[in-house]
Each structure stands twice: as C-alpha cells, then as structure tokens.
C-alpha cells in the first residue's frame, strides 16, 4: 500500500527541458487540502501543470495511489483528477450548463450522450456553487467570477478523487471566495477528495489548508502544517517583505510602523486599542502603547505598529520598572488616549497611570 495517496518523488519541473524547480519530494494524504503559496512567477502554476500532465516532467515521478501518473492514460486521469487552471477556456456558443456537462464526458460513450443520471449530477454540481441561474447563459457573456464558479461546477461533476486548482479565488469577490473555499473544504472533509491548489490570499490559505507548500527559488522553500509555515520570519523571507510585516495571529499583512519619536501614548487592552493603532497609522502619527501584557490581543498588533510597547509578563502585577518606563514615555508624548480598560488585581497600577495621564 502507498505511503501517501499522492506523491511527488524527486520531481523536477520546468519548460522546454530547462529545470525551474527540482528535488520536489512531497507526500499528500487522501482528503487533504494542500495549498501552494509564493511570489508571482515562482513556479506554482508550473508545478500544478506538471502534476496534471499538461507539462512534461523534467525529472522524477508522480505517484497516484501507487500508480505512476506517467503510466496513466488521459482518460484514466480525467476520471480521477479534475483540473481548474487560470487559463480561460475558449468556447463557441456554449451555455454554462453545456460547459459543466463536459465534466461528465469521461464517463460517457463515444457519442458523449449524457444519461438522466449524468444530467442530475450536472444540476447538483451547479447548485453546489450557486450557479443554477446561469445554466442557459452563454458562457462567454458572463463575468470572470461567474465563469470561475461554472468551471468549479464542471470539476465537481467529474466526481474526481483529486481536484487541482490554480488560483481559484481570482476574480471572485469576498463572499464567493469564502463560499468557494467552503465548498472545497466540504468536498475534502465529507467526500475525502484531495485538493491541491495555489492561492494568493495567504490569510485564507492559512485557515483552509492542512498543508502548505512554499514555492520560491529552485527548490521548495518550506512544506508543513499552517502553524509550522505561517510564521513572521518565514512569510517575510518567502515574499521578501521589507515594507511591512506579516502577523501570524491575525493572518494579516500590516503596513510598516510610522517611525519617529512617539507623539501619542495609548492605554488600552483586550482589543480596544486596535482601531486606535490603525487610525494613528493612517494619520502617520508615531505612537507608543502600554502597559500591555504579552498575551493581550492589543500587544500582538502594537508590537508591529507602535514605536515602543511597554510590556509586562502575563498574570503578573506591574513592576516598578515597567511602570516607571511607561510614565517616562508617556510624559514625552503630546497626548494620551485612554480606552475602556478593564482593571483587575494584576494590572491595578494602570489606574494610577491613567490618573497621571489626566
């Protein structure tokens, strides 16, 4: 029995015999969602095209449940794998229903005639992506976002073991991005369909994926679970971010902090300071924040946006040293902003700080 359901073994990919990425060794279990992330032009699409036999492998092998992909016929492959790539298919006078119905062709005879059961599967696939109302529409006359949903419906009605998607959320607004990923997640969890895709939205990749493949340079930069990959330094290096930062807790990209001597001191906690931090950043006002415990949600963002953050260790009373530093920084600021800070036994000295601020 295969160690993995889908395996890339010493795979090398590229164009016209020239290797772009080599030594790709990745095993994927059945029903996993695996997402490729990385900068534009890094080779994510090349990898996807190679594992779907649209590009010839430069080296190595790909195994599908112990069978070499290269030994599978295109008919066998189309019965087991559905593909949705970024290239737009060209059609002539085909309705959306007819486009979706082509997903059943691997199961029909030479004449390509659909049975009532096939038609039912097509209807269910269109319903799954909320495209029922597009059935009679000309495929070329609908929006890019609608086309993406129709192509996903086509892939679904193939009833594949694996679905491969290249940037499936492109051209979709927020609602349909979430909806599409929810559909893929249901397919993986309930039907144990393996999903391999690329995404630009790393915040969504972090939330939906079982494994992440980081593509950069001539090898795979990182491969592992989201919690292993989505770290500040890893994402900064992957995308060469030098004008901001990645926040692994919020899963967000943050603009760089406003440098300079702090003009405002923010006293907050429990998320009450976050909108203040963002507003000060928008107004290009350097600020300091404190006194924040290191496990406070405000601290997570303040460390990225504030010039200085005065912190205390979690569940400890505020020390004299920490309090003195907060007073010192606060006195240098032009103004103080105090949010509705809950005060307990540990942070009782925050009340004293607020009195000094007044």
């Amino acid at each position: 029995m295969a160690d993995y359901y889908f395996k890339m073994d010493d795979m090398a990919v590229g164009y016209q015999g020239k290797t772009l990425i080599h030594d790709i060794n990745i095993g994927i279990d059945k029903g996993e969602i695996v997402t490729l992330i990385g900068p534009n032009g890094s080779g994510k699409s090349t990898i996807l095209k190679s594992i779907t036999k649209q590009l010839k492998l430069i080296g190595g092998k790909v195994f599908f449940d112990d069978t070499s992909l290269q030994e599978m016929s295109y008919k066998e492959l189309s019965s087991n794998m559905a593909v949705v790539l970024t290239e737009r298919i060209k059609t002539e006078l085909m309705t959306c229903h007819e486009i979706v119905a082509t997903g059943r062709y691997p199961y029909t005879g030479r004449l390509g005639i659909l049975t009532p059961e096939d038609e039912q599967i097509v209807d269910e696939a269109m319903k799954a992506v909320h495209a029922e109302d597009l059935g009679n529409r000309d495929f070329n006359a609908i929006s890019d976002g609608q086309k993406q949903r129709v192509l996903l419906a086509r892939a679904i009605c193939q009833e594949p073991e694996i679905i491969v998607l290249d940037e499936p959320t492109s051209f979709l607004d927020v609602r349909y991005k979430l909806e599409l990923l929810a559909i893929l997640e249901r397919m993986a969890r309930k039907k144990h369909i393996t999903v391999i895709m690329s995404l630009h939205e790393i915040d969504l990749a972090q939330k939906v994926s079982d494994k992440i493949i980081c593509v950069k340079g001539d090898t795979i930069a990182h491969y592992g679970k989201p919690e292993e990959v989505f770290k500040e330094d890893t994402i900064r290096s992957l995308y060469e971010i030098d004008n901001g930062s990645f926040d692994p807790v919020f899963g967000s990209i943050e603009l760089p902090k406003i440098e300079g001597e702090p003009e405002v001191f923010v006293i907050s906690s429990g998320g009450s300071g976050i909108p203040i931090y963002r507003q000060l950043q928008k107004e290009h006002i350097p600020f300091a924040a404190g006194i924040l415990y290191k496990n406070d949600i405000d601290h997570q963002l303040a460390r990225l946006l504030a010039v200085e953050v005065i912190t205390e260790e979690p569940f400890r009373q505020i020390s004299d040293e920490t309090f003195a530093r907060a007073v010192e920084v606060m006195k240098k600021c032009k103004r103080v902003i105090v949010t509705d800070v809950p005060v307990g036994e540990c942070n009782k000295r925050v009340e004293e700080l607020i009195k000094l601020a007044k």
Side-chain angles (χ1 to χ4, degrees):
M1 187 175 176
D3 294 338
Y4 292 99
Y5 184 65
F6 191 88
K7 186 177 181 182
M8 305 170 213
D9 190 6
D10 288 332
M11 187 174 78
V13 301
Y15 293 90
Q16 298 175 339
K18 184 178 180 181
T19 302
L20 179 64
I21 306 170
H22 59 83
D23 293 325
I24 304 173
N25 289 286
I26 290 172
I28 300 171
D29 291 323
K30 187 175 179 63
E32 278 193 320
I33 297 177
V34 178
T35 304
L36 286 75
I37 64 171
N40 285 336
S42 59
K44 300 185 296 296
S45 296
T46 307
I47 291 174
L48 295 180
K49 288 178 180 178
S50 299
I51 65 173
T52 57
K53 291 184 71 171
Q54 299 194 30
L55 283 177
K56 186 177 180 180
L57 292 180
I58 304 296
K61 290 187 176 182
V62 178
F63 292 97
F64 176 76
D65 199 18
D66 250 357
T67 302
S68 171
L69 207 67
Q70 305 312 111
E71 296 174 3
M72 296 178 70
S73 68
Y74 283 102
K75 183 174 177 61
E76 286 178 309
L77 190 62
S78 62
S79 298
N80 290 284
M81 179 185 288
V83 183
V84 181
L85 298 181
T86 50
E87 286 88 352
R88 291 286 170 247
I89 63 172
K90 297 178 181 179
T91 65
E92 293 294 336
L93 302 175
M94 289 183 72
T95 66
C96 293
H97 182 277
E98 289 167 338
I99 292 290
V100 176
T102 62
R104 296 303 301 165
Y105 286 178
Y107 304 97
T108 63
R110 291 182 178 180
L111 297 177
I113 298 173
L114 271 62
T115 65
E117 183 183 354
D118 290 323
E119 289 288 0
Q120 183 179 348
I121 293 171
V122 170
D123 290 339
E124 288 174 355
M126 295 192 74
K127 186 177 181 181
V129 300
H130 303 288
E132 316 97 290
D133 58 331
L134 300 175
N136 293 323
R137 298 272 302 275
D138 181 349
F139 182 76
N140 290 322
I142 61 176
S143 70
D144 284 333
Q146 290 170 324
K147 286 178 180 176
Q148 197 78 324
R149 283 191 283 151
V150 169
L151 294 176
L152 179 60
R154 182 182 67 165
I156 291 171
C157 79
Q158 276 182 243
E159 297 183 319
E161 296 287 330
I162 296 178
I163 183 168
V164 178
L165 309 101
D166 193 7
E167 299 176 19
T169 53
S170 297
F171 311 110
L172 299 180
D173 60 31
V174 173
R175 174 190 171 187
Y176 289 119
K177 284 181 194 288
L178 297 174
E179 197 168 78
L180 183 145
L181 293 177
I183 290 167
L184 294 176
E185 197 167 38
R186 285 197 300 272
M187 291 169 68
R189 308 307 172 219
K190 293 185 178 181
K191 297 186 177 182
H192 303 291
I193 293 171
T194 304
V195 178
I196 305 173
M197 63 179 170
S198 64
L199 284 179
H200 275 306
E201 300 90 341
I202 59 174
D203 57 329
L204 296 178
Q206 183 181 14
K207 295 173 178 67
V208 77
S209 308
D210 296 303
K211 300 282 178 58
I212 299 290
I213 302 173
C214 298
V215 185
K216 183 187 178 185
D218 58 3
T219 59
I220 298 300
H222 297 279
Y223 174 63
K225 297 177 181 179
E227 57 268 27
E228 297 169 344
V229 171
F230 284 99
K231 296 180 179 178
E232 194 171 339
D233 291 343
T234 302
I235 299 301
R236 183 189 297 274
S237 173
L238 179 64
Y239 290 97
E240 298 181 2
I241 299 171
D242 58 6
N243 56 348
S245 54
F246 171 74
D247 186 333
V249 173
F250 292 106
S252 59
I253 298 294
E254 299 294 340
L255 294 171
K257 68 178 67 176
I258 307 303
E259 300 289 355
E261 288 297 318
E263 298 176 17
V264 176
F265 192 91
V266 182
I267 303 175
S268 68
S269 72
S272 61
I274 290 175
I276 307 296
Y277 303 160
R278 295 201 185 283
Q279 187 60 39
L280 290 169
Q281 185 192 47
K282 289 174 189 174
E283 296 177 11
H284 279 248
I285 298 172
F287 68 93
I291 300 168
L292 290 170
Y293 287 98
K294 290 182 179 178
N295 62 345
D296 193 308
I297 193 170
D298 277 4
H299 175 265
Q300 184 63 29
L301 186 60
R303 69 185 184 85
L304 300 176
L305 301 186
V307 175
E308 183 174 350
V309 186
I310 294 86
T311 63
E312 186 56 89
E313 295 299 323
F315 310 114
R316 293 185 184 178
Q317 292 186 349
I318 295 171
S319 67
D320 291 341
E321 183 182 358
T322 299
F323 186 80
R325 179 57 186 166
V327 172
E328 180 185 355
V329 174
M330 186 174 71
K331 284 182 176 180
K332 293 178 181 179
C333 294
K334 297 176 182 178
R335 60 188 174 121
V336 179
I337 298 175
V338 181
T339 66
D340 187 15
V341 182
V343 177
E345 288 301 317
C346 286
N347 71 334
K348 198 165 184 62
R349 296 191 76 177
V350 169
E351 287 183 335
E352 187 180 345
L353 190 66
I354 293 172
K355 286 179 182 178
L356 282 172
K358 291 179 179 179

